[in-house]
């Protein structure tokens, strides 16, 4: 709905819980996780996270390698 409201062509999801990625994958969105929610890397990946970062600093440093950094 958010992408439609801004006439966007695509979106991506950023979250820190397994529920974020289960929901995002239902919409076929690329996903990025940061481990601030207490879930393990395996739990986040199993839920559908495409990339998992250990901290916000690591996320910022690696953002260009994710769907958020990919610009056509």
């Amino acid at each position: 709905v958010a992408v439609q409201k801004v006439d966007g062509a695509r979106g991506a999801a950023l979250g820190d819980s397994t529920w974020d990625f289960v929901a995002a994958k239902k919409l076929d969105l690329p996903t990025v996780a940061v481990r601030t929610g207490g879930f393990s890397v395996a739990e986040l990946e199993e839920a559908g996270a495409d990339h998992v970062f250990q901290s916000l600093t690591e996320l910022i440093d690696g953002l260009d390698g994710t769907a958020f950094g990919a610009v056509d």
Side-chain angles (χ1 to χ4, degrees):
V1 171
V3 173
Q4 291 172 346
K5 284 187 177 188
V6 297
D7 295 323
R10 63 188 180 156
L14 172 66
D16 68 354
S17 76
T18 55
W19 303 285
D20 297 328
F21 307 109
V22 169
K25 286 304 177 179
K26 287 181 181 179
L27 300 172
D28 199 32
L29 292 173
T31 55
V32 177
V34 63
R35 291 199 58 227
T36 55
F39 292 91
S40 71
V41 172
E43 289 172 311
L44 294 166
E45 289 176 340
E46 185 175 314
D50 297 320
H51 300 275
V52 179
F53 294 95
Q54 296 296 326
S55 67
L56 292 172
T57 302
E58 187 179 298
L59 168 67
I60 292 166
D61 290 343
L63 208 53
D64 285 342
T66 71
F68 291 104
V71 178
D72 294 339

